[in-house]
Amino acid sequence: MALIVQKFGGTSVGTIERIKTIAEKVQRFRNDGHDVVVVVSAMSGETNRLVGLAREIQEHPAPGEMDVLLSTGEQVTISLLSMALQELGCPAVSYTGWQISIRTDSHHNKARIQEIDTEAVKKDLGEGRVVVVAGFQGIDECGRITTLGRGGSDTTAVALAAALEADECQIYTDVDGVYTTDPRVVEGARRLDKITFEEMLEMASLGSKVLQIRSVEFAGKYNVTLRVLHSFEEGPGTLITLEEQDEMEQPAVSGIAFNRDEAKLTIKGVPDIPGVASRILGPISRANIEVDMIVQNVSADQTTDFTFTVHRSDYQRAMDVLQKTCNDLGAREYDGDNKIAKVSIVGVGMRSHAGVATRMFEALAAEGINIQIISTSEIKVSVVIAEKYLELAVRALHSAFELDQEPVSGR
Amino acid sequence: MALIVQKFGGTSVGTIERIKTIAEKVQRFRNDGHDVVVVVSAMSGETNRLVGLAREIQEHPAPGEMDVLLSTGEQVTISLLSMALQELGCPAVSYTGWQISIRTDSHHNKARIQEIDTEAVKKDLGEGRVVVVAGFQGIDECGRITTLGRGGSDTTAVALAAALEADECQIYTDVDGVYTTDPRVVEGARRLDKITFEEMLEMASLGSKVLQIRSVEFAGKYNVTLRVLHSFEEGPGTLITLEEQDEMEQPAVSGIAFNRDEAKLTIKGVPDIPGVASRILGPISRANIEVDMIVQNVSADQTTDFTFTVHRSDYQRAMDVLQKTCNDLGAREYDGDNKIAKVSIVGVGMRSHAGVATRMFEALAAEGINIQIISTSEIKVSVVIAEKYLELAVRALHSAFELDQEPVSGR
């Protein structure tokens, strides 16, 4: 007997058949005695169809009208899922964003939720109804429709779970949980039963895109228990929780994340004077290029080498900016490489385990993989290597940290 | 410098190209200095698409959820038309039904408008914006979405025009006005410059389906000046107004209406006693069959013949009911005919012109057309004839009342 918020994305409700299947799943939870609130996205393809219509009219449609348009997608889904539930004899009622006052700021296309009025939802739950809520959308203080941006339905689900003080927020996806790494790269990749919010954030931002970062941050902030599950297969999924202090056996590393979306730029022989970093990155930032890793080495001869990474699609623009900076600063030279990959080991356990980084470097060295950049945070060590070694590196690390073996504590 | 409410139906906004064309038309009115409120329907085909999705789930979807689903159709159109206006440099803002509180009762799928909050619309108009409103939809006192039923966008437009005290409510259609009769039947059919609400009601209910009856009733009740115009052709259209008493030359007949949707049933030799009419029609009504014309002839032999018409699709059911009634009443016999047509002459002028009915009967007799039933109201004379004579009768009457000639007063 729990209060559960379930979120189904566009693929899970992409056809009438799938909507019916989801309705059956929801009904099973209700028949087990749970109160269920369902958050849904637009049927897959619908948002693109609507965007296509708008683009035929305007290259850059007004964000406010775009939100009026896009929000119809979820509205279609909530009515269809409610019908499917009713067809099964399961009482259900739909709510758009404005109908339960999902109040947001006025940043159309990327609004942030400020408040939710849960009174009507609680009343419906109390009367035995399943409540079906449109994800992704809200309303600002002027009564205009807003949308939350990509992955916004996850955020709606987490925000609702927080507002309702739900026991669990279940995010249904096309994978059956969070893995130690990408199973397409490492055959022995294993589903994690549990992961902490912090680890999930590092995994997600590093390329294991199961959940939207914003919704995980949100869940962590409001202490909402998240669970990632497969929409159409049975299984326990992966639970995402606050770090549990009482677990004796914390493995050092929970997973291996990676991406190959980045490119590396280096400027060499820069005069080593205060303010030089901002003189290098300022022009990059003003060109609207986002920077990920930044590494600066001290040097003996009063000059320094400065390296940073950008998204690969910004590589050429960043090189052009850097050329000018190189001249302005009187630096010796600059170069770049867009054939790189970033590999990271992530785990809250590494806080208390010494030697994790060393073990990582040794594993890579054993395979003859050269490390170009190293960057660390409290629960993560990232390295940049040549792209061609990516799969080899991930497999080597997965094995070195024994991630293919079930941990003793069941973690 | 007027305040104009313009309504465009699904065909007029059926493609992106058409939406752009409509935007140009709206902009021309605004550039002429008018304040413009536009009411739009769902793009043609969209409502059927949504109904199709629902039907895949439930044979009889809950009306409330159906309204949540269907109302997305107009919401798509308002955003697209607003974008098209903005693309032309014309400031515009969209409103769904709930955003301007188009308050209705809770009869889902066929709700009636009770109140509209015009404050936001007036503010936008004052600030030079074109206001684009979703037709067909509203919100009940519980905050649930309602729809107004077929032709509901016409009603939205008229209700808005009434609430805003607009100078004119323009209904754009695929015809350039109201005609003396169906141009497909009579080559010389002529567009009327003006018609009264009463005439329009009689014409509409008799089969010249240009406007929804409800919206005409509404317009008459609140004295909203209506104009029917073609969406994509220029022209003055037809003005629908209160009867103008000061017009000297009122033609006796304004138009010829007809339909072939009816069937006729007769019960003969019924004992002529009080209450017999209700004993015949009561069972028909209880079978949910609507009756149109009713004629009873007195007779000499203490019995009477009783004839009525029903929609042709109800013919067989009505015959079955009548058979039982015939036995119960001890009537002599009953029969029916579903190969009939109704032809009506309509005109407020006939109030003051004697001999209009006579002229009608003479014109039909001259063509050898037998009249089966006659029914009259203050501004209408209807006859039922064999269906095969329909076109011949309409042409004969159109000519007999000189409708193909421009009247002297310009009417």
Side-chain angles (χ1 to χ4, degrees):
Chain A
M1 297 277 277
L3 169 52
I4 301 173
V5 175
Q6 303 185 317
K7 181 259 167 178
F8 296 93
T11 315
S12 306
V13 293
T15 64
I16 295 295
E17 276 319 305
R18 289 187 164 196
I19 288 174
K20 288 179 180 174
T21 306
I22 296 305
E24 286 164 12
K25 183 184 279 277
V26 171
Q27 193 191 30
R28 280 200 297 277
F29 276 89
R30 184 174 166 277
N31 288 349
D32 287 347
H34 301 302
D35 287 335
V36 186
V37 175
V38 188
V39 175
V40 287
S41 304
M43 294 171 75
S44 57
E46 179 65 2
T47 302
N48 285 343
R49 184 182 77 87
L50 295 170
V51 169
L53 288 176
R55 287 280 151 76
E56 281 186 63
I57 292 173
Q58 284 197 292
E59 200 174 342
H60 301 292
E65 294 301 339
M66 203 65 195
D67 284 351
V68 172
L69 181 67
L70 294 184
S71 62
T72 63
E74 291 76 31
Q75 189 169 328
V76 167
T77 317
I78 57 171
S79 59
L80 294 178
L81 181 57
S82 298
M83 290 176 195
L85 285 162
Q86 288 167 0
E87 179 69 11
L88 296 174
C90 176
V93 60
S94 72
Y95 285 98
T96 60
W98 60 266
Q99 283 180 317
I100 50 169
S101 295
I102 299 188
R103 178 67 70 84
T104 71
D105 59 27
S106 298
H107 287 92
H108 288 289
N109 301 9
K110 47 178 188 244
R112 287 182 173 260
I113 295 176
Q114 293 170 333
E115 208 180 349
I116 298 180
D117 180 359
T118 56
E119 198 182 325
V121 175
K122 283 179 180 162
K123 185 164 179 290
D124 283 315
L125 292 173
E127 291 167 3
R129 278 184 281 272
V130 168
V131 176
V132 183
V133 176
F136 179 68
Q137 59 184 245
I139 184 179
D140 74 3
E141 61 176 349
C142 302
R144 301 303 302 175
I145 295 171
T146 53
T147 66
L148 311 179
R150 281 230 166 261
S153 293
D154 286 359
T155 309
T156 302
V158 172
L160 255 175
L164 290 165
E165 297 177 347
D167 296 285
E168 194 167 292
C169 179
Q170 302 178 338
I171 309 285
Y172 288 85
T173 67
D174 56 356
V175 295
D176 67 347
V178 180
Y179 274 67
T180 50
T181 194
D182 187 339
R184 285 168 301 187
V185 171
V186 181
E187 211 179 318
R190 198 172 40 75
R191 183 183 56 75
L192 294 161
D193 285 328
K194 274 190 199 173
I195 188 172
T196 70
F197 289 117
E198 290 168 291
E199 288 171 332
M200 189 65 204
L201 282 176
E202 295 288 5
M203 295 285 275
S205 63
L206 289 169
S208 304
K209 285 158 189 147
V210 177
L211 282 174
Q212 281 301 113
I213 292 183
R214 250 172 77 197
S215 64
V216 178
E217 283 173 356
F218 215 89
K221 189 171 167 191
Y222 292 98
N223 196 12
V224 171
T225 302
L226 272 183
R227 187 183 293 275
V228 174
L229 297 136
H230 197 289
S231 298
F232 302 107
E233 291 167 13
E234 295 301 312
T238 297
L239 200 66
I240 306 163
T241 59
L242 288 179
E243 188 176 353
E244 295 185 18
Q245 303 292 350
D246 57 344
E247 274 195 53
M248 293 295 288
E249 278 301 320
Q250 195 88 289
V253 171
S254 294
I256 315 289
F258 59 86
N259 82 51
R260 48 186 116 210
D261 294 336
E262 298 193 22
K264 176 185 77 164
L265 293 92
T266 303
I267 180 165
K268 294 175 184 166
V270 186
D272 193 9
I273 50 174
V276 73
S278 67
R279 288 182 64 187
I280 294 168
L281 294 181
I284 296 287
S285 161
R286 282 191 290 276
N288 272 319
I289 298 170
E290 281 192 28
V291 170
D292 179 23
M293 300 172 82
I294 302 168
V295 179
Q296 183 181 350
N297 287 335
V298 289
S299 57
D301 64 349
Q302 304 303 315
T303 70
T304 184
D305 300 341
F306 193 97
T307 298
F308 58 95
T309 64
V310 299
H311 196 276
R312 204 173 276 189
S313 61
D314 291 327
Y315 177 59
Q316 199 48 60
R317 281 174 56 228
M319 283 294 274
D320 295 345
V321 172
L322 198 60
Q323 177 182 24
K324 191 167 177 306
T325 305
C326 188
N327 294 337
D328 292 353
L329 286 178
R332 194 168 65 246
E333 59 177 328
Y334 75 100
D335 64 14
D337 183 357
N338 64 358
K339 294 275 186 295
I340 59 161
K342 183 162 81 169
V343 180
S344 309
I345 56 174
V346 176
V348 291
M350 68 176 68
R351 283 179 188 149
S352 52
H353 287 67
V356 166
T358 311
R359 196 153 141 209
M360 179 186 200
F361 304 150
E362 281 172 357
L364 295 174
E367 300 291 345
I369 299 171
N370 187 41
I371 298 173
Q372 302 178 5
I373 308 180
I374 299 172
S375 164
T376 63
S377 79
E378 210 180 349
I379 64 163
K380 175 191 75 172
V381 181
S382 300
V383 299
V384 166
I385 59 175
E387 185 182 3
K388 63 182 175 183
Y389 293 127
L390 174 62
E391 290 81 359
L392 178 61
V394 173
R395 281 192 292 264
L397 293 172
H398 201 265
S399 169
F401 289 100
E402 298 171 351
L403 290 175
D404 32 14
Q405 290 158 41
E406 202 70 33
V408 180
S409 72
R411 218 185 113 88
Chain B
M1 297 277 279
L3 170 52
I4 301 173
V5 175
Q6 304 185 318
K7 180 261 171 177
F8 295 95
T11 314
S12 306
V13 294
T15 64
I16 296 295
E17 277 317 304
R18 287 186 165 198
I19 288 174
K20 289 179 180 174
T21 306
I22 296 305
E24 287 165 11
K25 184 185 279 278
V26 170
Q27 194 190 30
R28 281 200 297 277
F29 275 88
R30 184 175 166 276
N31 287 350
D32 287 346
H34 302 303
D35 288 337
V36 187
V37 175
V38 188
V39 175
V40 288
S41 305
M43 294 170 76
S44 56
E46 179 65 3
T47 301
N48 286 344
R49 185 182 77 88
L50 294 169
V51 169
L53 289 175
R55 287 280 151 75
E56 280 186 65
I57 293 173
Q58 283 196 294
E59 200 175 344
H60 300 292
E65 294 301 340
M66 202 65 194
D67 284 350
V68 173
L69 181 66
L70 294 185
S71 62
T72 63
E74 290 77 30
Q75 189 168 329
V76 167
T77 317
I78 57 172
S79 59
L80 294 178
L81 181 57
S82 298
M83 290 175 193
L85 284 162
Q86 289 167 359
E87 178 69 9
L88 296 174
C90 176
V93 60
S94 73
Y95 285 98
T96 60
W98 60 266
Q99 284 180 315
I100 51 169
S101 295
I102 298 187
R103 178 67 72 82
T104 72
D105 59 29
S106 298
H107 287 93
H108 287 290
N109 301 9
K110 49 179 188 243
R112 287 183 174 260
I113 296 177
Q114 293 169 334
E115 210 179 349
I116 299 180
D117 180 358
T118 56
E119 198 182 327
V121 175
K122 283 179 179 163
K123 185 163 177 293
D124 282 314
L125 291 174
E127 290 168 3
R129 277 184 281 273
V130 168
V131 176
V132 183
V133 176
F136 180 69
Q137 59 183 247
I139 184 179
D140 74 4
E141 62 176 350
C142 302
R144 301 304 300 174
I145 296 171
T146 55
T147 65
L148 310 180
R150 280 230 167 259
S153 293
D154 286 0
T155 309
T156 303
V158 172
L160 256 175
L164 290 165
E165 298 179 345
D167 296 285
E168 195 169 292
C169 179
Q170 302 178 338
I171 310 286
Y172 288 85
T173 67
D174 55 357
V175 294
D176 67 347
V178 180
Y179 273 65
T180 50
T181 194
D182 188 337
R184 285 170 300 187
V185 171
V186 180
E187 209 179 317
R190 199 172 40 76
R191 181 183 56 73
L192 294 162
D193 285 328
K194 276 189 195 171
I195 188 171
T196 69
F197 288 117
E198 288 169 292
E199 288 172 333
M200 189 64 204
L201 282 176
E202 295 288 4
M203 295 284 276
S205 62
L206 290 169
S208 304
K209 284 157 191 149
V210 177
L211 283 174
Q212 281 302 113
I213 292 183
R214 250 171 78 197
S215 63
V216 177
E217 284 172 357
F218 215 88
K221 190 171 168 192
Y222 292 99
N223 196 11
V224 171
T225 301
L226 274 183
R227 188 184 292 274
V228 174
L229 298 136
H230 196 289
S231 298
F232 301 107
E233 291 167 14
E234 295 302 313
T238 297
L239 200 67
I240 305 164
T241 60
L242 289 178
E243 189 177 352
E244 296 185 16
Q245 302 290 351
D246 57 346
E247 274 193 54
M248 293 295 290
E249 277 302 319
Q250 196 88 286
V253 171
S254 293
I256 316 288
F258 58 86
N259 83 50
R260 50 186 114 210
D261 295 338
E262 298 194 19
K264 177 185 78 167
L265 294 92
T266 302
I267 181 163
K268 293 174 184 167
V270 186
D272 192 10
I273 49 174
V276 73
S278 68
R279 289 182 65 186
I280 295 168
L281 294 182
I284 296 288
S285 162
R286 283 191 289 277
N288 271 321
I289 298 170
E290 281 192 28
V291 170
D292 179 24
M293 299 170 84
I294 302 170
V295 179
Q296 184 180 349
N297 286 337
V298 290
S299 56
D301 65 346
Q302 303 303 315
T303 70
T304 184
D305 299 342
F306 192 97
T307 299
F308 58 94
T309 64
V310 299
H311 195 278
R312 204 174 276 188
S313 62
D314 291 327
Y315 176 60
Q316 198 50 59
R317 280 174 56 228
M319 284 294 274
D320 295 345
V321 172
L322 197 60
Q323 176 181 22
K324 191 166 177 307
T325 305
C326 188
N327 295 336
D328 292 351
L329 286 179
R332 194 169 65 245
E333 59 177 327
Y334 74 101
D335 65 13
D337 183 357
N338 64 357
K339 293 278 186 296
I340 59 162
K342 181 162 81 168
V343 181
S344 308
I345 55 174
V346 176
V348 291
M350 69 175 67
R351 283 179 189 150
S352 51
H353 286 67
V356 166
T358 310
R359 198 154 141 203
M360 180 188 198
F361 304 152
E362 281 172 357
L364 295 174
E367 299 291 346
I369 301 170
N370 187 42
I371 299 172
Q372 303 179 5
I373 308 179
I374 299 173
S375 164
T376 63
S377 80
E378 211 180 348
I379 64 163
K380 176 191 75 172
V381 181
S382 300
V383 299
V384 166
I385 58 175
E387 185 182 4
K388 63 182 174 181
Y389 293 127
L390 175 63
E391 290 83 359
L392 178 61
V394 173
R395 279 192 293 264
L397 293 171
H398 201 265
S399 169
F401 289 100
E402 296 172 350
L403 290 174
D404 31 15
Q405 289 158 42
E406 201 71 32
V408 181
S409 71
R411 221 187 110 89

